[in-house]
Amino acid sequence: MDLMGMMGKLRDTQLKIEEAKKRLDTILIDHQSNDGLLKVTFTANTALKSISIDEKLLEDKEQLEDYLILVINKAVEKASEINKKELDAVSNIDIPMIPGMEDMFK
């Protein structure tokens, strides 16, 4: 096994992962309730960027809370899927994994 070559591949992969994480900050995921009364935007790194709430929802606290939970969870799920696909694509390297190094690729 070529240790220097393997370390080079690890460094390259780590750089690609960092670049992918920066790129994921620029990918926006919009999601809204079925009736359009609540809209949220997240980055693919699951950072909340905006929330838009229709005036109608402000009249019913319980309904608003339910909407927030449903819409935010769905948007985070979409963002997480995109995040995983992107990071899996760049972290797929062809070297044996050294115990304890798994955390480098998260």
Side-chain angles (χ1 to χ4, degrees):
M1 179 182 347
D2 175 16
L3 188 59
M4 292 307 290
M6 187 173 76
M7 293 307 288
K9 282 185 181 181
L10 284 172
R11 255 191 319 278
D12 290 347
T13 300
Q14 195 169 18
L15 287 173
K16 287 179 184 176
I17 290 170
E18 291 306 314
E19 289 171 7
K21 286 180 181 179
K22 287 178 188 170
R23 189 174 60 250
L24 289 168
D25 278 333
T26 67
I27 298 172
L28 299 179
I29 292 90
D30 297 313
H31 191 72
Q32 66 181 9
S33 58
N34 290 336
D35 56 14
L37 297 178
L38 178 72
K39 299 174 186 171
V40 298
T41 302
F42 278 83
T43 69
N45 278 327
T46 65
L48 180 61
K49 296 304 256 183
S50 70
I51 297 177
S52 174
I53 301 170
D54 189 283
E55 293 282 331
K56 295 175 193 170
L57 286 177
L58 299 178
E59 299 165 7
D60 186 342
K61 179 182 182 290
E62 206 169 285
Q63 182 184 16
L64 175 57
E65 290 170 345
D66 289 343
Y67 270 58
L68 284 167
I69 290 168
L70 292 171
V71 173
I72 288 173
N73 281 338
K74 189 63 178 174
V76 168
E77 181 182 316
K78 284 181 179 180
S80 295
E81 287 173 14
I82 291 169
N83 185 295
K84 182 177 178 351
K85 284 179 188 174
E86 287 287 319
L87 292 179
D88 283 352
V90 297
S91 66
N92 187 13
I93 57 174
D94 186 28
I95 58 171
M97 192 52 67
I98 298 169
M101 293 189 76
E102 299 89 2
D103 292 338
M104 276 181 65
F105 301 101
K106 292 182 182 175

